[in-house]
Amino acid sequence: MSSENKKKEGIVPEPSLRRMPCYLAYLKLAKRRSQEYVSSTHIARDMGVDPTQVTKDLSYTSIVGKTRVGYEVNTLIDVLEDFLGFRKLDKAYLFGAGSLGNALLHDHGLDQYGLKIVAAFDIDPKVVGKTIEGVPILHVSEFEKMKDENIEVGILTVPAEFAQDVAQQMAEGGIKGIWNFTPIRIRLGDNCVVQDTSLYAHLAVMFNRMNSIKK
Amino acid sequence: MSSENKKKEGIVPEPSLRRMPCYLAYLKLAKRRSQEYVSSTHIARDMGVDPTQVTKDLSYTSIVGKTRVGYEVNTLIDVLEDFLGFRKLDKAYLFGAGSLGNALLHDHGLDQYGLKIVAAFDIDPKVVGKTIEGVPILHVSEFEKMKDENIEVGILTVPAEFAQDVAQQMAEGGIKGIWNFTPIRIRLGDNCVVQDTSLYAHLAVMFNRMNSIKK
DNA sequence: ATTTATTAATGAATATTTTCTTTAATCGAA
DNA sequence: TTCGATTAAAGAAAATATTCATTAATAAAT
């Protein structure tokens, strides 16, 4: 009975997962202020969200809070980082060293969150052979030869028209998780996860909300 | 009666808004293939989504489809780009020229989606005074003097501990929309829109889904 | 002209997510 | 010890989003 109460194979709702890094950031600031415990009530008040949502979100991890005290800051940070996969360092390949790919190569924050880009692939002879921020740019054909490496994450930043094809190659090459920055919806078998992160989609939401408050 | 049938002041659901740029990308590829019309059925089939969801999403714009024909590709592209605000070019300030801010300065794709970074602000004397990708990096104190400019969008890429403070300055300086790349939940009055785009949140979702299919 | 198949649009039903409510635990004060 | 205040947790209710089912329109085929 202890393992049947989790519905749907214990899948964690995406909204909850997306909120967790926010809690983590908040907790790190709390730690800096030498707080030993934080209650869900305080987290909620400071962040402007619903208190029960905080406890519900955190309940997906292994943490348990103490009544009338809250959660221990240090252990909650540890538990969250572990749960979110920010502890172990995954190596990643970048596909498409154009403008956006280039941009990601400049962001060293990724390292702190468990992702390290070890090589990039492109077809443009103007960039192949170069090194950006210490990461070598190879020709896509080289990817074939590197299949045996223990690399499961691929970042997709190619132009839209190549997105589906390249994604397919990635999956065939053993990539298990594709971080898709193109606005194209990738269709693959279900042994490969696709995470869409279209910056422009977020921009669209912001523009729309700005117009809404204007009138 | 023609204007009371829209519930809740005609607010467009965020999931719908986020899907629209995907439709747009799909349509641009269709246009390249010289397709004159596309039906919601085909869009849905190609993208692997529900057909009624497509029509429902598109119904928030002014477009109307022709029965048994579909939507005219060119006009739908125009309507969507206009609706999403990708047509007019908004000028933007960047706050925080660190690793991630630097990365965004390298992404020229933003221009195509209606956003042009015209200046960046930082406090680090090592970067202030420099120019990255043609964009000057100024000291934050300079922001005060530039209030009169017609700039409504601000991109927030400062370290977490400064996020709330800088956001407040931005709002006071006339910024109407903050594109927040920090994992901090910003609290401001409601004359300023905050759009959260935490890359690491997406990374967390991907890691979690990868683990789910693994076991 | 008539039929058939395909489609957009609309409203209903389902599923999901968020918020509200209740309960039980326990720390600190009286 | 006893009481009151604060809290996590769990379940119920409400809000939201997605999917399903139906309808009406119409282009193409017969």
Side-chain angles (χ1 to χ4, degrees), chain A residues 78-124:
Chain A
D78 288 355
V79 164
L80 270 176
E81 282 193 332
D82 201 52
F83 184 84
L84 295 174
F86 293 166
R87 270 314 195 10
K88 58 166 182 34
L89 195 71
D90 282 87
K91 291 183 191 168
Y93 284 146
L94 179 85
F95 293 78
S99 175
L100 182 56
N102 221 291
L104 289 177
L105 288 171
H106 281 86
D107 178 22
H108 301 120
L110 290 176
D111 302 27
Q112 293 182 341
Y113 290 89
L115 204 67
K116 179 154 193 66
I117 302 174
V118 294
F121 298 100
D122 207 301
I123 48 164
D124 185 353

Side-chain angles (χ1 to χ4, degrees), chain B residues 39-41 56 64-68 70-71:
Chain B
S39 70
S40 61
T41 325
K56 204 156 265 185
V64 279
K66 262 193 199 164
T67 297
R68 233 203 107 107
Y71 304 90

Side-chain angles (χ1 to χ4, degrees), chain A residues 116-140:
Chain A
K116 179 154 193 66
I117 302 174
V118 294
F121 298 100
D122 207 301
I123 48 164
D124 185 353
K126 281 201 288 291
V127 295
V128 170
K130 287 189 180 168
T131 296
I132 299 175
E133 298 282 312
V135 178
I137 319 287
L138 312 171
H139 193 270
V140 190

Side-chain angles (χ1 to χ4, degrees), chain A:
Chain A
M1 194 178 279
S2 63
S3 67
E4 73 174 24
N5 56 347
K6 48 178 176 183
K7 283 179 282 187
K8 283 200 177 176
E9 282 304 319
I11 197 170
V12 183
E14 186 162 332
S16 297
L17 282 171
R18 278 211 298 257
R19 281 189 293 264
M20 286 183 193
C22 296
Y23 301 139
L24 187 57
Y26 172 89
L27 289 161
K28 284 181 175 173
L29 293 184
K31 181 179 182 173
R32 192 178 285 208
R33 291 193 303 266
S34 317
Q35 282 184 254
E36 211 177 330
Y37 287 91
V38 283
S39 70
S40 60
T41 323
H42 281 131
I43 298 176
R45 195 178 307 152
D46 292 347
M47 294 179 63
V49 298
D50 192 273
T52 59
Q53 190 167 66
V54 176
T55 56
K56 202 157 266 185
D57 287 343
L58 296 182
S59 73
Y60 292 111
T61 72
S62 58
I63 197 85
V64 280
K66 262 193 201 166
T67 297
R68 236 205 103 103
V69 174
Y71 303 92
E72 205 186 341
V73 174
N74 280 322
T75 48
L76 187 45
I77 288 175
D78 288 355
V79 164
L80 270 176
E81 282 193 332
D82 201 52
F83 184 84
L84 295 174
F86 293 166
R87 270 314 195 10
K88 58 166 182 34
L89 195 71
D90 282 87
K91 291 183 191 168
Y93 284 146
L94 179 85
F95 293 78
S99 175
L100 182 56
N102 221 291
L104 289 177
L105 288 171
H106 281 86
D107 178 22
H108 301 120
L110 290 176
D111 302 27
Q112 293 182 341
Y113 290 89
L115 204 67
K116 179 154 193 66
I117 302 174
V118 294
F121 298 100
D122 207 301
I123 48 164
D124 185 353
K126 281 201 288 291
V127 295
V128 170
K130 287 189 180 168
T131 296
I132 299 175
E133 298 282 312
V135 178
I137 319 287
L138 312 171
H139 193 270
V140 190
S141 55
E142 301 283 308
F143 175 52
E144 296 273 313
K145 305 169 193 163
M146 301 174 91
K147 278 185 184 175
D148 47 284
E149 299 240 8
N150 195 20
I151 293 177
E152 298 191 326
V153 176
I155 303 175
L156 187 61
T157 48
V158 300
E161 60 264 41
F162 306 124
Q164 176 65 37
D165 276 357
V166 172
Q168 222 137 357
Q169 287 181 53
M170 289 163 82
E172 284 163 10
I175 296 293
K176 292 277 173 277
I178 295 179
W179 196 0
N180 173 32
F181 281 81
T182 80
I184 299 297
R185 189 171 279 256
I186 305 298
R187 311 201 60 188
L188 291 174
D190 44 24
N191 54 345
C192 186
V193 170
V194 179
Q195 174 62 38
D196 295 320
T197 299
S198 176
L199 295 184
Y200 316 121
H202 289 225
L203 200 50
V205 176
M206 185 174 71
F207 284 150
N208 181 273
R209 300 313 187 209
M210 284 173 74
N211 286 332
S212 297
I213 62 169
K214 221 174 265 178
K215 57 156 196 168

Side-chain angles (χ1 to χ4, degrees), chain B residues 92-105:
Chain B
Y93 285 146
L94 179 85
F95 293 79
S99 175
L100 182 55
N102 221 292
L104 289 177
L105 288 171

